[in-house]
Amino acid sequence: NFDRLVPGSTFLFFGKPQQYNDRINIVHPEVDAPQQDPSAKGTLTGVYPSTEKLKAGGVTGKVMCKMQRAALALCLPEVKETLPDYILAKYGLPTLPWTLQNIHFPADAPALAAATRRLKFEELFYLQLSLLKQKYVRSKSAEGILMPHVGPAFHACYKALPYTLTGAQQRVIREIRADLASGAQMNRLLQGDVGSGKTMVAVLSCLIAIGNGYQTCIMAPTEVLARQHFANIQKYLAPTGVQCALLTGSTTAKERRPLLQGLADGSIQLVVGTHALIEDPVQYKALGFAVIDEQHRFGVSQRAALWAKGPRMRCDGAGYQNVPPHILVMTATPIPRTLAMTFYGDLDLSVIDEMPPGRKPVQTMLIGQNRLPAMYRFIREEIAKGRQVFIVYPMIFINEKLEDISNVEQGYEDILKAFPLEQGYKVAIVHGQQSNEQK
């Protein structure tokens, strides 16, 4: 209704400004005369998402604002503070009633920022508190396997190492040893960059469990990674006499039979593999220690399946039941300590923050699409020096495996054009849908 738009009056227009013929234009704006709503305070108005059906029925953003104002007037006197006074004082947080009023109808921009900060703080605070509660309850109730000894296999491996462990590796092994000797179940997150020596720590930790008479497993998210781990671990175990095996989805039935028998009778003490390690046919004589490489591939149901593989032991007042193995989760993702506490609050955190001597520094650069020619030039220079280049394509459609491969294959075609065979370049492609022979 344009009758209201009297020249010389002030109005509020709400909508999306666009440029049209060098002028600012808003299509179908909402128009308000500020003085018409005496209860409105401040200059900021909340935006409440609606549907076309609601708007057609007259429930516009303005109407929802009025409803919200009325609801707040009714409920705010009843709202009780949820955080203790000393927390509010320590972090300079406003009270909950003030926050709810100012998140909907802020007096000004700083009031909105303060209300937003209070709500974000509260959400993360209670998330951490619940995780810490879980951790506390677990530490009191989750009976763990007692592993007080180190054993000859650990010493044999340690003495045969051609290098000295870094101070950070030694510190983490001490932390793990203390957990294993505590009688409570260990759930520890081990974070360290690629090349910092996490696998060595994992192997030595497994050997402590083996020295106490238990079996161990190392679970990788992919078959390629499992095979890589297996090849490295076999070298470490050479002086120990420990029996190690590899079990993945592509292990043949013929290879699988003696392997399953070895796990069931305890003759295989360390097994490396993928999720195949926790499938139903796999039975362990006494699985006491499990290493999981990259937590984000390992959900609640997998954890439950792994716990069910633990040895049956006599528990105080509960007869015989499966005792969960000690868990070590390894990740190369750099996680700030505060974020690790939030996401992995039920895990204890160990960090390898020291690289072995002689490692070359890693450079990370972000290159936009417009810099591709420069990147290709850099790659050609590196190949000319006799070096290799790996190009990793992300999985974009996680559930559509064929889409993922077409993404990789399109990239492969692009690289072939940039690095043709006739110029002496050799380019290959590998992905999860190929057979082992192709890989």
Side-chain angles (χ1 to χ4, degrees):
N1 182 357
F2 288 99
D3 297 344
R4 292 186 301 150
L5 300 182
V6 181
S9 304
T10 303
F11 293 93
L12 294 174
F13 290 86
F14 176 79
K16 190 173 182 180
Q18 292 168 320
Q19 204 160 3
Y20 181 72
N21 285 346
D22 293 329
R23 299 175 75 176
I24 294 295
N25 174 45
I26 301 179
V27 180
H28 300 306
E30 287 188 29
V31 184
D32 264 339
Q35 63 271 31
Q36 285 180 355
D37 187 357
S39 65
K41 291 174 186 168
T43 56
L44 297 167
T45 305
V47 180
Y48 297 94
S50 183
T51 64
E52 290 304 320
K53 203 168 179 181
L54 276 172
K55 285 175 186 167
V59 185
T60 60
K62 204 191 311 183
V63 170
M64 289 179 82
C65 254
K66 286 182 178 173
M67 289 163 66
Q68 187 64 53
R69 196 183 298 282
L72 277 173
L74 286 170
C75 78
L76 278 185
E78 306 291 322
V79 170
K80 294 197 168 46
E81 181 54 66
T82 52
L83 293 173
D85 289 343
Y86 71 90
I87 293 277
L88 297 180
K90 181 176 179 181
Y91 295 100
L93 300 170
T95 64
L96 187 56
W98 185 95
T99 297
L100 292 175
Q101 176 67 43
N102 280 273
I103 200 76
H104 290 284
F105 302 101
D108 49 31
L112 177 61
T116 306
R117 180 171 172 266
R118 151 75 203 232
L119 291 174
K120 286 181 177 179
F121 178 93
E122 185 167 341
E123 188 174 333
L124 285 171
F125 179 76
Y126 281 119
L127 177 63
Q128 285 195 335
L129 209 57
S130 67
L131 286 166
L132 287 168
K133 181 190 170 190
Q134 285 174 34
K135 184 172 165 182
Y136 177 77
V137 168
R138 196 197 69 233
S139 71
K140 295 295 174 196
S141 62
E143 203 161 342
I145 303 163
L146 189 63
M147 297 183 180
H149 311 297
V150 174
F154 176 94
H155 290 302
C157 179
Y158 194 86
K159 283 176 188 164
L161 288 176
Y163 50 81
T164 308
L165 294 186
T166 64
Q169 285 175 306
Q170 291 176 30
R171 184 190 71 243
V172 171
I173 289 169
R174 282 197 299 273
E175 289 168 354
I176 292 168
R177 274 196 65 186
D179 283 351
L180 300 183
S182 71
Q185 189 217 1
M186 179 181 85
N187 275 286
R188 189 166 282 280
L189 174 68
L190 175 57
Q191 190 252 311
D193 285 342
V194 173
S196 63
K198 295 188 298 294
T199 307
M200 191 67 250
V201 167
V203 170
L204 287 167
S205 303
C206 286
L207 290 174
I208 295 173
I210 291 165
N212 285 274
Y214 292 94
Q215 291 167 295
T216 60
C217 72
I218 297 178
M219 192 185 306
T222 65
E223 189 164 323
V224 171
L225 207 60
R227 289 181 180 279
Q228 195 179 324
H229 275 326
F230 180 64
N232 291 333
I233 288 165
Q234 277 191 306
K235 292 177 203 161
Y236 299 143
L237 296 181
T240 66
V242 166
Q243 281 289 100
C244 182
L246 174 70
L247 176 63
T248 68
S250 65
T251 303
T252 63
K254 188 179 175 184
E255 295 167 324
R256 202 173 275 253
R257 272 191 294 275
L259 206 156
L260 293 180
Q261 180 60 41
L263 291 173
D265 64 25
S267 58
I268 293 175
Q269 296 152 293
L270 194 159
V271 60
V272 181
T274 54
H275 281 178
L277 295 177
I278 54 171
E279 287 168 0
D280 284 344
V282 183
Q283 296 300 323
Y284 298 85
K285 186 179 181 188
L287 179 65
F289 191 95
V291 179
I292 302 157
D293 196 355
E294 292 294 353
Q295 164 81 355
H296 57 262
R297 304 286 184 97
F298 197 77
V300 174
S301 57
Q302 285 95 343
R303 187 181 289 201
L306 180 59
W307 283 25
K309 301 289 183 191
R312 288 187 72 74
M313 296 174 71
R314 186 166 188 82
C315 297
D316 292 341
Y320 285 91
Q321 62 183 43
N322 288 81
V323 177
H326 296 292
I327 307 281
L328 180 68
V329 177
M330 297 198 300
T331 180
T333 309
I335 308 165
R337 183 169 280 274
T338 46
L339 191 61
M341 276 177 64
T342 305
F343 278 132
Y344 301 105
D346 59 334
L347 302 177
D348 295 305
L349 182 65
S350 287
V351 182
I352 300 182
D353 49 10
E354 185 183 344
M355 293 297 269
R359 297 277 167 154
K360 290 181 182 174
V362 175
Q363 275 187 299
T364 305
M365 283 172 266
L366 180 64
I367 307 289
Q369 285 288 347
N370 58 332
R371 300 284 314 283
L372 272 182
M375 188 180 82
Y376 286 160
R377 193 163 60 247
F378 170 76
I379 289 174
R380 288 189 190 97
E381 288 166 5
E382 293 301 305
I383 292 171
K385 294 173 188 170
R387 292 172 180 160
Q388 291 170 295
V389 178
F390 291 82
I391 298 174
V392 181
Y393 284 86
M395 276 178 41
I396 293 174
F397 303 95
I398 289 170
N399 295 320
E400 301 288 338
K401 290 211 162 86
L402 293 174
E403 294 280 5
D404 298 335
I405 291 163
S406 68
N407 177 41
V408 173
E409 285 173 345
Q410 181 55 55
Y412 178 56
E413 296 296 327
D414 295 343
I415 295 298
L416 279 178
K417 284 177 198 158
F419 298 88
L421 188 62
E422 54 268 23
Q423 290 183 20
Y425 294 107
K426 290 179 184 171
V427 183
I429 179 172
V430 65
H431 55 70
Q433 299 302 296
Q434 292 173 324
S435 68
N436 284 329
E437 287 72 26
Q438 285 173 304
K439 287 178 194 171

